[in-house]
Amino acid sequence: MLQTVNIDLIGVIAVVDDKIHELKNARSDENFLKLQEKVDRFKMCTSVDNEDFKPLPLNRLKRVPKKPAEETQDEVITDPLQSFKIQTFFVAYDTAIIQIKERFSEIAKGIYKDLSLFSRRRLEEISKNNDLLPKDAFDVFSDVYSKFILKDDLKREYLQFSKSYFNFEQVKLLPLQLHNSEIEIDDDLSGSLTDEASESDIEDSFDNNHNRQVKEVPKLHKNGCSLSIILKVLLISGLSSTFKMLTTALKIAVTLPVASTTPERTFSKLSIVKNKLRSTMAEGRLESLMILSCESDIKIETDQIINDFARKSVLLEKTLLY
């Protein structure tokens, strides 16, 4: 669900917080007892031999002498169910909660909330009423990227841009008619504008023209993928110089990683590039080979590389260029 294209990031944060709360509530002794009751009912209802459900072995109590500086000792757990609850049941819930919190930290959630303001849905809301913009908008985003972003300038440009964005979005493609106010009537249409048949024909022609124009405009999502679309509209319309801070913020937003596939793929390439025969490879050469391997889809101008390499010395220039 969280990977849906047209999803609201504010809703994502609400779902994550709700799931963390549910996991914390599920990590309880009452929930473990309910699980144990379900297991007992399953054992009674199933036709499998009871030998497959052998009781857990009792842990032998080990006497460990107390150390000189040790005041207390950990209580030894002999009950197998209690040991399973502490070492397996609770650990599983704790691991899930910790991983979710690490993935959605407070800073990450703050950035997601600020990025949600760039969606078409939020732009439309703010364009109708600027007072709807939260007072702490872009606080986390500007703090994290304070080297590039000034919060006050970003908020000011955002409010100005929200008023004019949809006008530029509509004219991103050249319209089929530049002057809709003037109606050109074909010669084969008889009668005047007061004639009902003529008026209906003209209206049908305009409707068909409008529908044909709408079909040519690509479908615009309201939330998820609108960051790249908004940035394209901003660049195509020539507004990047007017809204410099907003353009920088959108460029940062569209380059934020949304998955861990890239580093995982890089580590897979590392074992291929740096094998046993290249164990003494220097860091600079390894980095260059990794870039060539991971970014193989980027087109490289071979002639330009040869020219740049040849200009590093007079001998290379004479050998490679002449």
Side-chain angles (χ1 to χ4, degrees), residues 85-294:
K85 180 178 69 173
I86 296 175
Q87 299 180 4
T88 304
F89 183 77
F90 286 166
V91 170
Y93 276 101
D94 292 339
T95 303
I97 293 172
I98 291 173
Q99 289 183 353
I100 294 176
K101 286 186 175 181
E102 289 179 353
R103 177 65 179 85
F104 296 93
S105 61
E106 294 300 325
I107 296 178
K109 290 192 292 186
I111 292 178
Y112 287 145
K113 291 179 181 179
D114 288 338
L115 291 180
S116 67
L117 298 175
F118 291 121
S119 64
R120 298 182 70 252
R121 174 184 174 184
R122 304 305 176 187
L123 280 172
E124 187 176 3
E125 292 179 4
I126 301 301
S127 64
K128 296 178 181 179
N129 186 3
N130 290 344
D131 295 335
L132 294 178
L133 184 66
K135 295 181 180 180
D136 58 348
F138 305 114
D139 281 357
V140 179
F141 189 82
S142 58
D143 290 341
V144 174
Y145 301 101
S146 58
K147 186 177 180 180
F148 312 99
I149 301 298
L150 297 177
K151 182 182 68 175
D152 295 336
D153 294 345
L154 179 59
K155 292 178 68 173
R156 175 177 50 80
E157 292 183 4
Y158 177 83
L159 292 174
Q160 295 176 355
F161 181 71
S162 63
K163 298 178 181 179
S164 57
Y165 166 72
F166 293 96
N167 294 327
F168 284 97
E169 183 186 72
Q170 293 175 1
V171 296
K172 187 174 65 172
L173 298 177
L174 188 64
L176 298 178
Q177 288 186 351
L178 292 177
H179 310 288
N180 290 330
S181 59
E182 296 182 2
I183 302 175
E184 183 178 354
I185 304 176
D186 296 336
D187 295 336
D188 56 351
L189 291 177
S190 59
S192 61
L193 290 177
T194 57
D195 188 5
E196 295 181 357
S198 300
E199 288 181 355
S200 61
D201 292 338
I202 295 173
E203 290 177 358
D204 292 340
S205 64
F206 269 101
D207 291 338
N208 295 332
N209 193 11
H210 176 70
N211 294 333
R212 184 158 54 91
Q213 181 179 357
V214 171
K215 290 180 180 179
E216 294 182 2
V217 179
K219 181 181 179 181
L220 299 177
H221 297 279
K222 292 183 178 181
N223 297 311
C225 70
S226 60
L227 291 177
S228 59
I229 296 177
I230 293 173
L231 180 59
K232 288 180 181 178
V233 173
L234 192 65
L235 297 175
I236 293 174
S237 304
L239 299 175
S240 57
S241 59
T242 305
F243 303 101
K244 295 181 179 179
M245 197 64 62
L246 184 62
T247 304
T248 304
L250 286 172
K251 287 181 178 179
I252 294 174
V254 298
T255 55
L256 291 177
V258 295
S260 60
T261 55
T262 301
E264 291 174 359
R265 190 180 298 115
T266 303
F267 279 109
S268 299
K269 292 284 187 179
L270 180 61
S271 60
I272 298 175
V273 174
K274 191 173 183 179
N275 51 28
K276 295 181 179 180
L277 300 178
R278 295 173 174 172
S279 58
T280 60
M281 186 188 307
E283 183 177 355
R285 181 178 176 83
L286 176 61
E287 183 179 354
S288 301
L289 291 177
M290 287 294 297
I291 293 176
L292 291 174
S293 179
C294 297

Side-chain angles (χ1 to χ4, degrees), residues 71-93:
E71 297 180 357
T72 59
Q73 286 182 320
D74 295 335
E75 183 180 355
V76 180
I77 301 175
T78 58
D79 186 6
L81 286 177
Q82 187 73 7
S83 177
F84 176 80
K85 180 178 69 173
I86 296 175
Q87 299 180 4
T88 304
F89 183 77
F90 286 166
V91 170
Y93 276 101

